Amino acid sequence: MTKLLPKLLFFLIVLFVQKANAQSCFNVNAGKDTTISCLQSCLTLKARIPNIKTTEDYTVTTIPYAPYAYQTPGGTQSNLVYDDDHFSDAFVLPFNFCFYGNTYSRACIGSNGVITFDVATNANSIEGFVLDDKDVIPFAGGMPNTQFMYYAPRASIFIAYYDLNPVTSPRNRKIEWRVEGTAPCRKFVVAYSQIGNFDVANCPNARNLCTMQAVLYEGTGVIDVFYENKPACLAYFGGRAIAGLQNWDQDKAVVLPGKNGTVWTAKKEGYRYIPNGASQLFNRVELYKNNSLVTTGTIVDLGTGELEASFPVCQSEDSMSYEVRAYYRQCDNPAIETEGSDTMIVYKTLNPLTLNVNSALCPGAVSSITVTKPVAANIEYSIDGINWQKSNTFTPGPGNYTVTARLIGSQCTGTANATILATPDFYANGSVVNLLCNNKPTGRVIFSPVGPNAPYSFSADGGVTYVSNNVFSGLFAGSYKFKVKSSTGCIIDTTLIITQPPPLLASGAQFVRASCSNNDGELILTASGGTPFYTYSLDGVAYQTLNSFTGLASGTYSKLAIKDANGCVQPANATTILVNDQMFLTMPKDTTICAEKPLQLIPVTNTQTTKYKWTPAVALNFDDIKTPVASPTDTTHYILTAQWGICSRTAATWVNVLRKPVPHAGNDTIICFNSAASLNGSVSNTSGPVKYLWWPSTATPTNTLSTIATPDSTQQYALTVNDNYGCHFSETDSVLVTVRPKVVAFAGIDTTAIYGIPHQLIGTGGINYTWSPSGPLDNPFAPNPLATLRNDTRFSLLVSNDIGCSATDDILVKVYDGPAYYIPNAFTPNGDGVNDKFTPIPVGIASTEYFRIFDRFGQLVFSTNEFLKGWDGKYKGNVATAGTYVWMIKGIDRYGKVVERKGTVLLIL
């Protein structure tokens, strides 16, 4: 589409002629200029115009980047806006502006990229700048006039709202606002030019200068925004910014896609905010030609904030300019009509002129130029611009031509250039690679065509199919016919012959048997035919010049092959090398030995035998040598497997073993003192009769398996077994006979008891006790039973240990009335063991406080408080004088009462 004065946003001048009767208040999109065929008369023109409504809501759409100047010699500026984070004073708009259902006459500008109509709150005040990921419109949080809290003012246009700083911007920076045009089509332009980011350290101005503008249109509420460059500095508050509109109540907003509190950049981008309220302001749309009305358009709502207008027209002229004019009621005064316009040109031409140029690239062919489009009865053609013809085909010689078509009786034409080339030389130039091996598809044909008309194609099937590959591989010997075709369709026929050598033959292989060593077989191959010189292979991989292979193992060789001088390979029939088995093995005769007497086993076999394996391996010094030493403990059948290469033999021999007897003297035993032990021996693992001997001699008899031992103390007894079958074995085992100490039973010393009062008996010497008589006792099997007596009683105590050894003791318990002391009146300390001590007998007495004896002169000769301790008749180590002595005794009875007595005793010598 031909556009004049491209720097202006709003209207285009058609064919450089100023429209006299109307002024375009804003631009509409009439579409691209249209070209139609000279043969076409009628068409439908289409244009897109804004679907402008009242301003209760908005939509946004992309428009071409066509801003007004960002800096002009005039334009209003404010020192307040050049402060960081600051709003300008309120100023009067050049026209009332409709915005979100309200009409505003005043506004103020913020240094951070915002225009607000809430001047009462924001004029000449601090502007917020801190923006995080939760600060989005509508609302966007914060409090007004608070610098360190983000605040999105109400009733505002956010061109790019983020932390700009005019203070640190370069000298050529400028923030200005001005009016363009005249009523009723004025535009209020607010431009930010070369404004830097606050964080100069991390966001240097050299890379982060912002240039942008907003354009507010009179009477419509339409707002355009343009971004020459809007950078993003991630280092400062994450680089987030807002681009959009917000209403007075901060509960409704429209934003540019992806630009609401996010990190974004923009370069040479344009957007239009179009009012999308409840009521439509559109009146009509018309199409004009030469400033005269052609038709009124029909409208379709595209649902994107735009209307599509259609105009059916029929055009007789070769080319014509049309103007689309859209009319709207003004939002603040419906009585006034505003207009937007744009132009389009419809051209007529016969282009594109399509030619079929056929240069004679093959000898004898005719060159031609044919016009294939357009072709009609009222069109004539020329290749020199002088001579014209109705035919659309020319047959010129080589050269460059301009072909022209024109509509008869009109200046409507079309042209195209054509070149006829000279006929070039063309040769197939085929070469052959013959077969190296008979009847192998290894032949090739290679074409290297000569001529300029590449690329070439090639056919081996008489021209049915062509391929681009110039090499034909995998061919057998024979005669082949080919066709070679150039890019211009020229075809050359050629015949080529592929040859081959005679077939390569491998004769039957001969062989020599291998011995058991399996490394001395031999195989011979014979070759003929093919291309001498020959090489030979045993495995089909490695080849040698000799036709014989030696040092071979037996087996089948199935990969035999021969190869000729051309590398042709012919497999030979599989050949099996057999084995000449001459191995022998004999073993020594069966042998008898005594246990633990070593025997060397000596077999006889070939000297080439190298591997031996004896079983069982038990009792052999080595199980993998020819002549091991065997030391079996029992009769063993030894088997030898011997191997010479791949040949093996097996032989066996018996080694009969006369075993060593194993005596067993029996289990250790325990006996009572002065008793006998019965010992029962046994013997095993014998190979014949044996003899027995027990020792020491306290066991009788000594020459049998069973004997009686009578030790007087703990004693070790041994049983020796000697063989009677010639091996001189003598084996001994022992048994321990433990003699327990003599049991010493003690029932206590004779004592006294109180009549009818329980008296404690105390027995010791074992672990089991039996008292008798049992009648007076509370438990006759306890070591310390209680005895309740009414007359003197002698008790007998039987004591036994853990194995039943026992002894007896007795005690006399005399019965007295009590509690009391029973004291004799005389004693005879003469050492005859009868009545040698003067001892008080306590009955029912718990403790004795003192027992004192005085001579007739009142001298104290003895004193004690020990229980049942008496006087032995001595004074200062000597026997006292015979005579009468005075005694005194005091104690506490079992009931806690004091018992005192005194009297005399006669010492008799």
Side-chain angles (χ1 to χ4, degrees), residues 497-727:
I497 297 175
I498 299 175
T499 64
Q500 65 180 355
L504 178 63
L505 301 176
S507 302
Q510 301 176 356
F511 70 90
V512 176
R513 288 174 178 259
S515 69
C516 288
S517 297
N518 205 33
N519 58 1
D520 51 3
E522 185 176 355
L523 192 148
I524 301 171
L525 293 175
T526 303
S528 63
T531 305
F533 158 88
Y534 306 110
T535 55
Y536 308 86
S537 177
L538 194 66
D539 58 5
V541 177
Y543 286 83
Q544 64 182 39
T545 57
L546 294 177
N547 70 330
S548 64
F549 299 89
T550 59
L552 301 180
S554 63
T556 299
Y557 293 83
S558 59
K559 297 183 179 180
L560 301 173
I562 60 174
K563 183 188 296 184
D564 68 3
N566 288 336
C568 303
V569 175
Q570 177 62 43
N573 292 332
T575 301
T576 300
I577 296 179
L578 304 177
V579 176
N580 185 15
D581 188 350
Q582 296 179 335
M583 184 179 179
F584 62 87
L585 174 66
T586 59
M587 290 287 282
K589 295 181 180 180
D590 296 345
T591 306
T592 298
I593 63 171
C594 293
E596 299 182 354
K597 297 296 183 181
L599 170 68
Q600 188 168 33
L601 303 175
I602 304 175
V604 179
T605 186
N606 307 75
T607 57
Q608 297 94 334
T609 302
T610 57
K611 294 183 179 180
Y612 303 89
K613 186 64 179 177
W614 293 86
T615 57
V618 62
L620 295 178
N621 60 340
F622 299 101
D623 67 347
D624 58 355
I625 63 175
K626 180 179 179 181
T627 57
V629 176
S631 302
T633 59
D634 203 353
T635 297
T636 304
H637 188 219
Y638 284 104
I639 301 172
L640 170 62
T641 299
Q643 187 170 343
W644 167 22
I646 62 172
C647 302
S648 65
R649 295 289 186 275
T650 299
T653 186
W654 282 95
V655 177
N656 298 306
V657 178
L658 299 177
R659 298 187 298 273
K660 181 184 291 186
V662 178
H664 181 60
N667 297 327
D668 294 345
T669 187
I670 303 173
I671 63 174
C672 298
F673 179 77
N674 203 25
S675 63
S678 178
L679 305 180
N680 298 298
S682 63
V683 64
S684 61
N685 201 46
T686 62
S687 295
V690 295
K691 295 183 293 186
Y692 312 104
L693 176 63
W694 285 95
W695 53 278
S697 59
T698 52
T700 58
T702 61
N703 60 350
T704 61
L705 279 176
S706 298
T707 188
I708 301 298
T710 56
D712 55 3
S713 62
T714 298
Q715 178 69 56
Q716 192 92 23
Y717 287 88
L719 172 63
T720 299
V721 177
N722 298 298
D723 74 272
N724 267 352
Y725 38 83
C727 287

Side-chain angles (χ1 to χ4, degrees), residues 303-326:
T304 59
E306 291 183 304
L307 303 174
E308 183 180 73
S310 298
F311 307 95
V313 296
C314 292
Q315 178 176 313
S316 59
E317 300 87 352
D318 290 343
S319 296
M320 178 54 61
S321 176
Y322 296 91
E323 183 178 20
V324 177
R325 300 177 189 174

Side-chain angles (χ1 to χ4, degrees), residues 210 213 334 592:
C210 181
Q213 72 176 220
T592 298

Side-chain angles (χ1 to χ4, degrees), residues 29 54 162 302 309 341 345 410 458 480 577 604 634 718 818 847 889:
N29 185 2
T54 51
Y162 68 108
L302 298 179
S341 65
I345 299 176
S410 170
F458 311 88
Y480 293 87
I577 296 179
V604 179
D634 203 353
S847 64
I889 192 168

